[in-house]
Amino acid sequence: MKVIDGKAAAAAIRAEVAAEVAALSFVPGLAVVLVGADPASQVYVRSKAKQTVEAGMASFEHRLPADIDEATLMALVAQLNADDAVDGILVQLPLPAQIDAERVLRAIDPAKDVDGFHPVNVGLVATGTGGIVPCTPDGAMALIRSVQPQLDGLNAVIVGRSNIVGKPMAQLLLAANCTVTIAHSRTKDLAAVVRGADVLVAAVGRPEMIRGDWIKPGALVIDVGINRVDAGEGKARLVGDVAYDEAATVAGAITPVPGGVGPMTIACLLRNTLRAAIARRG
Ligand code: NDP
């Protein structure tokens, strides 16, 4: 059984990006917009800014209060779209209830949409005609390829159908010639569906829901879930959507949580920013 080292894979991507950035005649820039003070979002935004700078790129952080109105946020997006120093724009989700997140994501220039959430990029990726691939599925796919470069004809099961993870993951695995099943909360006999998976991607958000006896022997297991659970004495620990200790005895390869898919997301974001910068500035 192989434990897939997402930390090492992410460090390798960041090093490649930094080397490419150093060879450019301009400095790519990533703007991150954070609305409100959600603690998890603050942690993500801080790491994104730090790693952007470490890769030799410019980081522009915009923090707005939680009670901001949509028009003000839209005006900031318009300003970033027009700003030549900004190659990538990321609006950290979730947004407060008074703001229509879909409308905001649609307002981002698709060429600067380094999260890959704009319908133009979603459509381009779905039709296999280019586009910017969302960071978490992109990172998960890189980990899959690192152990199994040839995926033709394999049964891939994705548990979760969000626009951020499940759906784009399905598109990437389909493009890699897998036979793809997307499972979700209405799926009947989920365990039986999961047992058919040569490649399993769990993106549910439920701690250790997928048990070891659901895993096909030898399967490649990618656990996207990040769940904070009580570890006693007022402490918390992170677990995935897969019961790791059980699954590790059956799987052929598995990503740990933390240290699996998690670190890949920001690395792929930096790579998307570099690509967007090169595409835009020639
Ligand atoms: P969402 O909450 O948007 O989607 C969860 C999906 O899981 C839904 O499609 C839902 O089904 C499905 N689901 C929920 N309960 C069940 C169940 N009992 N059986 C089967 N399916 C179920 O989550 P995200 O896709 O945004 O995130 C999923 C997980 O990945 C989370 O733990 C999140 O923290 C993590 N994550 C990690 C990232 C990273 O590594 N950097 C980035 C993004 C997410 P339905 O559609 O029917 O409601």
Side-chain angles (χ1 to χ4, degrees):
M1 201 277 301
K2 181 180 166 53
V3 179
I4 303 169
D5 187 347
K7 260 192 193 165
I13 292 174
R14 290 199 306 270
E16 270 171 38
V17 170
E20 276 194 60
V21 168
L24 294 174
S25 57
F26 57 88
V27 178
L30 172 64
V32 177
V33 180
L34 175 63
V35 182
D38 177 64
S41 294
Q42 283 183 328
V43 172
Y44 292 140
V45 166
R46 215 173 301 133
S47 333
K48 282 168 186 169
K50 180 168 172 276
Q51 294 185 31
T52 302
V53 171
E54 281 168 3
M57 303 198 265
S59 166
F60 308 105
E61 248 181 89
H62 296 268
R63 288 169 184 266
L64 302 173
D67 60 357
I68 195 169
D69 60 19
E70 194 176 299
T72 310
L73 180 55
M74 292 293 248
L76 174 59
V77 169
Q79 180 199 318
L80 297 172
N81 282 341
D83 187 339
D84 219 31
V86 172
D87 298 288
I89 302 170
L90 184 153
V91 177
Q92 184 67 43
L93 300 176
L95 289 170
Q98 77 275 14
I99 292 171
D100 180 343
E102 285 303 323
R103 198 148 51 203
V104 173
L105 295 180
R106 276 199 301 273
I108 297 172
D109 177 351
K112 296 188 177 188
D113 166 41
V114 284
D115 252 342
F117 296 159
H118 191 288
V120 165
N121 284 316
V122 175
L124 289 169
V125 170
T127 50
T129 50
I132 297 175
V133 177
C135 307
T136 300
D138 192 21
M141 199 64 197
L143 295 181
I144 292 170
R145 295 269 197 204
S146 72
V147 283
Q148 187 102 37
Q150 175 57 265
L151 298 166
D152 278 26
L154 294 182
N155 287 330
V157 175
I158 299 135
V159 190
R161 57 175 164 179
S162 71
N163 290 337
I164 294 173
V165 189
K167 282 182 200 158
M169 193 72 234
Q171 297 292 359
L172 298 182
L173 287 163
L174 188 58
N177 298 325
C178 289
T179 302
V180 177
T181 303
I182 309 176
H184 45 77
S185 67
R186 314 288 172 90
T187 296
K188 293 200 176 101
D189 200 353
L190 182 62
V193 173
V194 169
R195 278 187 196 110
D198 302 306
V199 178
L200 171 67
V201 179
V204 190
R206 291 184 182 257
E208 301 180 325
M209 185 189 83
I210 295 172
R211 310 310 308 187
D213 65 355
W214 299 16
I215 309 286
K216 181 174 178 176
L220 170 45
V221 178
I222 303 292
D223 191 351
V224 181
I226 300 176
N227 308 290
R228 197 169 284 277
V229 295
D230 186 4
E233 295 172 0
K235 290 191 179 137
R237 72 188 171 98
L238 294 182
V239 298
D241 292 337
V242 177
Y244 182 88
D245 291 343
E246 294 175 18
T249 64
V250 194
I254 188 167
T255 57
V257 176
V261 177
M264 295 295 281
T265 298
I266 299 181
C268 291
L269 171 70
L270 301 180
R271 190 163 63 183
N272 278 351
T273 305
L274 169 65
R275 286 177 181 161
I278 292 170
R280 212 172 56 84
R281 306 201 206 201

